[in-house]
Amino acid sequence: MPITDVFASNVFDEAKMKEYLAKDTFQEMEKTIREGKPLNPKIAEAVAHGMKEWALSKGATHFTHWFQPLTGVTAEKHDSFLNPSKDHSISLEFSGKELVKGEPDASSFPSGGLRATFEARGYTAWDPTSFVFIKNGVLCIPTAFYSYTGHALDKKTPLLRSMDAINTQALRILHLFGHDDVKTVRTTVGPEQEYFLIDLEDYKQRKDLLYTGRTLFGAPCPKGQELEDHYFGTIKTRVQSFMQELNSELWKLGVYAKTEHNEVAPAQFELAPVFSTTNIATDHNQLTMELIQRIAKRHGMVALLHEKPFEYINGSGKHNNWSLSTDTGMNLLEPGDTPYENAQFLLFLSAVIKAVDEHQDLLRLSVATAGNDHRLGANEAPPAIISMFLGDELTDVLKAIETDQPYGQKKQERMRVGIDILPKIKKDATDRNRTSPFAFTGNKFEFRMPGSNSSIAGCNIMLNTAVADVLEGFADTLEKADNFEDMLHTLIQTTIKEHKRIIFNGNGYDDSWIGEAESRGLLNLPTTPDALPYSIKPENIELFERQHVLNKEEVYSRYEITMEEYTKIVLIEARTMVGMARKDILPAVSKYTQSLADTLALKKQTGVSATYEKANLDEISSYLDKAYVALKDLEAKVKTLEETEDFEKAANYVRDAILPAMSTLRKPCDKLETLVSAEVWPFPTYGKLLFGI
Ligand code: ADP
Ligand code: MG
């Protein structure tokens, strides 16, 4: 089937709505979608009916409200369309009420105390801007999830609120620039998704991968990524057929899967979609992660979405390409052709600069997870310090504005916003720096810190809220100005002056950057428990409340949930390590030393030289003892952690005691892997895992 027929064939999109809904219902729906208006309850019944007819024609039997609780994965509870009738026959039904609102028993989702257990009800409400789709014979309705008291229990509600906030403020600015025709401003996102593929049989033999998604032991194999022969290399047949199926399944769901290639590390791959509106991009990224995993299994492989599945080689991220665009087709981060367009571009650019500088903490903490801590700051991913890359050209322009100096050929006059033309910023002039966490890439920003496993809702909530708040301040100032142009120039100039410290075009992987960043007063928050407490700072709570994105209780509950999640994840890892060391590694090695000792004794008896056995036995035994000591220590620390009730104390203990103890245990065990005979080692090695597919 041609792609054009496959694409969105499982989505109730505008084309299907046109076919299945009456004309006036369709027009109402269109307005709802285009302008982000709430659904008119009067048409819910008719929409539900059309939807059901379409779903039945596609063979669907069930429906579900599809939502994104704070666990980071999507949740669904299927109900069938079946309805018993009086005469023992059945009818197939789906009401407007069922479409608009759901009431899952939600007591097992994390709520951070927002939903007392006696009031376990949670509600889901349809987000009509994200299309309904069919997945595995189930009609999925993308919804927001909130408590009886109206508190957000998911990632989507604050995301939608943050999009509203930025819409309101950006519109005010655009109206000042005379764009009265613009009705909505939406943030757009194109998330590039990295992942690893390994063989299913190898995976099953590793408890660490099974329980934690990453390897907790493993000596480096002789070949890593040093030859750079995997990056963009020919894709192997098995992977190719997986990608083909993945693409076609994603296309059916209306996901614009566009680019696929091998990544830097062996067995690492990337998928990039064409960008879309942030909430849709978020839904689609969740679906992409789900499908990558499901389809890999069909090809005898397992997809690892963990940020750092393997030591010694690159981890996986999710580059969040972000911009703002209007319903009239303007990209607000695209430098324009006229001085006036450029002035508008520079204003939005300044807003992002100020937002990123003022809210480094929020951006940093939005990507803080146990998994991502292994990646950020390592020599492969952006450092844990937030800075922005603008490229030399744009930085020079800003400098000229800041210092009232001429720019480029114009030797005499000062650079004036709204009068002078900007140089054409070439895309490749801006896209070279791969070490920056937040890079301007010609007409969008690329936030490179998010981890491969996280929902992109988190970082976009922060980004949207921070930029909305700055735009609000800008709009307040500009609306009051007697002379708009003068005020615009001053505003941009002061913003650059006050926030230029965040701009860094150098090498973010360089160690000297850490010292320099510190002298600039930039935040360096290396770990999750360092970063998360910033979310509950009074000024941040005020910001979230001011922009109506999260209230105080919601912020606190999220803080508690994310801190606890960090602890739980590492606790599972620590227990898994203990189990593997105790039950697999140490007994296997001990048994091997027995065979060495037997041979040694035999050789001694017969008077044959036994240098190899003796030396080997010594070395292995000494690492075995080290491993045992480390194991006992980790076991004791796990016990202490299990007894720690306070969630903040627990998270700090994980960072300060558990993780170091885990790495102390890993070292002798990895060494042992290199010392014993290959057949003794109880699970597949890095070489097998990384080069096995
Ligand atoms: P690369 O980073 O590999 O050079 P591109 O710059 O073409 O590739 O795009 C990377 C991602 O950025 C893609 O997912 C693309 O759809 C997305 N993107 C492009 N333009 C925008 C935009 N205006 N807003 C958000 N994302 C965008
Ligand atoms: Mg990119």
Side-chain angles (χ1 to χ4, degrees):
M1 227 199 286
I3 298 182
T4 42
D5 290 355
V6 173
F7 192 78
S9 57
N10 286 347
V11 182
F12 194 64
D13 58 9
E14 284 174 76
K16 262 75 124 210
M17 287 179 195
K18 205 166 183 181
E19 194 182 332
Y20 282 86
L21 302 180
K23 199 167 172 203
D24 49 342
T25 314
F26 171 68
Q27 280 165 351
E28 271 290 322
M29 254 328 279
E30 243 194 340
K31 216 163 84 199
T32 305
I33 297 162
R34 292 264 150 81
E35 295 173 19
K37 293 250 170 73
L39 183 73
N40 175 352
K42 288 197 191 111
I43 64 162
E45 208 59 52
V47 175
H49 180 76
M51 231 174 232
K52 183 192 73 182
E53 293 303 306
W54 169 75
L56 294 177
S57 80
K58 303 281 297 178
T61 52
H62 290 68
F63 68 92
T64 182
H65 277 205
W66 185 77
F67 55 104
Q68 301 173 22
L70 294 167
T71 52
V73 290
T74 54
E76 40 196 83
K77 181 190 127 216
H78 304 167
D79 279 304
S80 79
F81 293 121
L82 276 188
N83 241 349
S85 299
K86 275 196 215 99
D87 54 356
H88 298 293
S89 64
I90 53 149
S91 61
L92 298 173
E93 279 168 27
F94 180 51
S95 68
K97 218 171 120 231
E98 285 169 314
L99 164 65
V100 172
K101 197 167 175 184
E103 199 178 324
D105 171 17
S107 49
S108 308
F109 293 108
S111 70
L114 279 183
R115 191 191 45 236
T117 27
F118 62 83
E119 184 40 272
R121 261 181 302 171
Y123 295 105
T124 47
W126 183 32
D127 159 23
T129 57
S130 184
F131 294 134
V132 161
F133 56 91
I134 295 174
K135 181 168 65 82
N136 295 336
V138 180
L139 180 73
C140 298
I141 305 151
T143 55
F145 180 41
Y146 56 94
S147 76
Y148 178 64
T149 48
H151 289 102
L153 294 174
D154 67 352
K155 307 212 172 202
K156 184 155 206 172
T157 307
L159 181 66
L160 292 171
R161 292 176 187 160
S162 74
M163 289 170 69
D164 269 351
I166 212 166
N167 177 47
T168 308
Q169 303 309 333
L171 280 176
R172 286 174 68 195
I173 301 275
L174 288 177
H175 292 162
L176 287 168
F177 277 90
H179 295 294
D180 292 328
D181 54 330
V182 175
K183 294 227 162 43
T184 46
V185 175
R186 297 236 169 101
T187 53
T188 51
V189 164
E192 302 166 58
Q193 175 74 46
E194 293 179 337
Y195 59 96
F196 280 85
L197 287 174
I198 59 167
D199 191 88
L200 177 62
E201 292 311 311
D202 291 340
Y203 170 83
K204 284 185 187 158
Q205 292 174 53
R206 298 227 21 161
K207 293 195 191 97
D208 47 5
L209 289 176
L210 271 166
Y211 295 139
T212 75
R214 74 173 177 113
T215 54
L216 300 167
F217 295 101
C221 62
K223 184 178 170 178
Q225 61 194 41
E226 53 280 271
L227 294 178
E228 294 176 353
D229 52 351
H230 187 68
Y231 193 49
F232 283 18
T234 325
I235 299 173
K236 288 184 184 152
T237 326
R238 185 175 177 189
V239 176
Q240 187 67 64
S241 69
F242 151 81
M243 283 179 174
Q244 255 158 23
E245 188 178 342
L246 175 63
N247 283 336
S248 120
E249 290 303 315
L250 286 172
W251 290 334
K252 283 185 202 161
L253 291 173
V255 179
Y256 307 97
K258 168 104 174 148
T259 326
E260 56 191 24
H261 60 78
N262 288 354
E263 254 303 323
V264 174
Q268 193 185 27
F269 305 91
E270 181 186 294
L271 183 144
V274 176
F275 69 95
S276 49
T277 310
T278 308
N279 63 325
I280 294 169
T282 306
D283 287 356
H284 282 181
N285 183 250
Q286 294 295 131
L287 284 173
T288 303
M289 291 196 282
E290 184 184 328
L291 259 62
I292 286 177
Q293 286 171 301
R294 181 143 40 87
I295 292 168
K297 287 242 168 78
R298 284 192 210 144
H299 293 257
M301 297 184 290
V302 170
L304 303 176
L305 293 175
H306 194 282
E307 287 80 6
K308 189 73 181 174
F310 303 99
E311 212 48 63
Y312 319 110
I313 54 171
N314 280 6
S316 301
K318 180 141 50 190
H319 293 174
N320 190 76
N321 294 274
W322 179 93
S323 190
L324 291 154
S325 61
T326 66
D327 57 335
T328 53
M330 240 192 306
N331 176 353
L332 300 179
L333 291 178
E334 174 107 44
D337 295 322
T338 65
Y340 212 61
E341 283 168 3
N342 281 330
Q344 184 186 304
F345 161 72
L346 286 171
L347 186 69
F348 279 101
L349 182 77
S350 313
V352 181
I353 294 172
K354 181 170 167 158
V356 172
D357 184 34
E358 280 184 347
H359 303 291
Q360 297 160 47
D361 53 350
L362 295 180
L363 288 175
R364 169 65 187 96
L365 72 88
S366 74
V367 298
T369 61
N372 218 16
D373 279 2
H374 297 289
R375 189 178 149 257
L376 298 179
N379 217 16
E380 53 173 64
I385 306 163
I386 304 270
S387 68
M388 287 172 99
F389 171 87
L390 292 183
D392 294 338
E393 263 178 322
L394 204 49
T395 307
D396 286 348
V397 170
L398 297 189
K399 197 177 271 166
I401 298 171
E402 182 204 343
T403 53
D404 274 331
Q405 296 290 314
Y407 175 78
Q409 275 88 0
K410 287 183 141 188
K411 290 276 178 277
Q412 317 307 330
E413 296 157 57
R414 321 179 284 155
M415 178 84 184
R416 286 294 295 177
V417 171
I419 295 169
D420 290 314
I421 298 215
L422 289 187
K424 267 261 160 243
I425 313 286
K426 284 187 270 0
K427 188 173 175 273
D428 23 320
T430 58
D431 202 24
R432 293 231 175 88
N433 191 320
R434 292 269 155 200
T435 65
S436 173
F438 204 96
F440 183 67
T441 54
N443 59 4
K444 62 186 187 294
F445 276 99
E446 182 167 349
F447 186 33
R448 301 198 177 110
M449 281 169 112
S452 48
N453 210 0
S454 302
S455 158
I456 52 167
C459 65
N460 286 299
I461 291 169
M462 298 306 176
L463 201 48
N464 294 346
T465 307
V467 175
D469 202 57
V470 173
L471 288 176
E472 179 169 15
F474 282 6
D476 288 347
T477 308
L478 290 170
E479 279 168 359
K480 280 192 238 108
D482 294 332
N483 184 324
F484 177 70
E485 260 102 84
D486 280 353
M487 186 51 92
L488 189 63
H489 186 86
T490 314
L491 193 58
I492 293 174
Q493 197 174 41
T494 13
T495 307
I496 301 165
K497 263 193 200 130
E498 285 168 8
H499 299 286
K500 64 179 175 188
R501 64 169 184 170
I502 197 75
I503 300 166
F504 175 62
N505 293 329
N507 183 0
Y509 293 177
D510 205 282
D511 282 341
S512 64
W513 167 230
I514 297 181
E516 155 134 27
E518 199 182 325
S519 67
R520 291 185 186 196
L522 300 181
L523 275 179
N524 185 6
L525 304 170
T527 72
T528 299
D530 297 329
L532 292 178
Y534 280 80
S535 65
I536 52 165
K537 288 187 105 171
E539 63 266 34
N540 284 333
I541 293 176
E542 276 162 31
L543 164 73
F544 290 125
E545 295 206 318
R546 191 162 60 238
Q547 293 305 326
H548 306 288
V549 172
L550 290 167
N551 63 30
K552 194 172 173 183
E553 291 81 44
E554 289 169 331
V555 174
Y556 267 96
S557 74
R558 266 150 227 262
Y559 171 53
E560 195 178 317
I561 291 167
T562 40
M563 286 285 267
E564 278 178 352
E565 186 186 59
Y566 170 81
T567 302
K568 284 180 196 160
I569 286 172
V570 183
L571 184 57
I572 294 169
E573 291 180 348
R575 287 184 186 138
T576 306
M577 270 195 112
V578 164
M580 287 171 83
R582 257 211 192 274
K583 291 191 190 314
D584 301 322
I585 300 176
L586 270 52
V589 176
S590 173
K591 200 165 154 207
Y592 180 66
T593 56
Q594 188 196 335
S595 73
L596 281 177
D598 286 351
T599 316
L600 180 66
L602 200 65
K603 283 188 166 179
K604 271 197 175 148
Q605 228 174 46
T606 34
V608 182
S609 101
T611 323
Y612 166 70
E613 285 79 4
K614 171 80 176 73
N616 228 4
L617 190 58
D618 273 348
E619 196 177 7
I620 292 175
S621 300
S622 98
Y623 281 108
L624 195 56
D625 289 350
K626 277 193 192 127
Y628 180 65
V629 172
L631 171 62
K632 295 289 287 178
D633 179 53
L634 181 58
E635 279 173 339
K637 287 182 170 144
V638 164
K639 193 154 174 290
T640 309
L641 178 61
E642 284 165 346
E643 285 160 2
T644 309
E645 272 171 25
D646 180 281
F647 72 90
E648 285 170 323
K649 275 200 189 114
N652 290 337
Y653 188 73
V654 162
R655 176 195 58 203
D656 301 332
I658 300 281
L659 285 165
M662 285 166 64
S663 95
T664 308
L665 172 59
R666 177 171 180 155
K667 278 187 201 111
C669 292
D670 285 0
K671 183 69 189 176
L672 286 168
E673 185 196 314
T674 66
L675 294 174
V676 300
S677 142
E679 65 242 30
V680 170
W681 202 247
F683 35 76
T685 60
Y686 269 25
K688 182 77 171 60
L689 291 172
L690 290 170
F691 295 92
I693 53 163

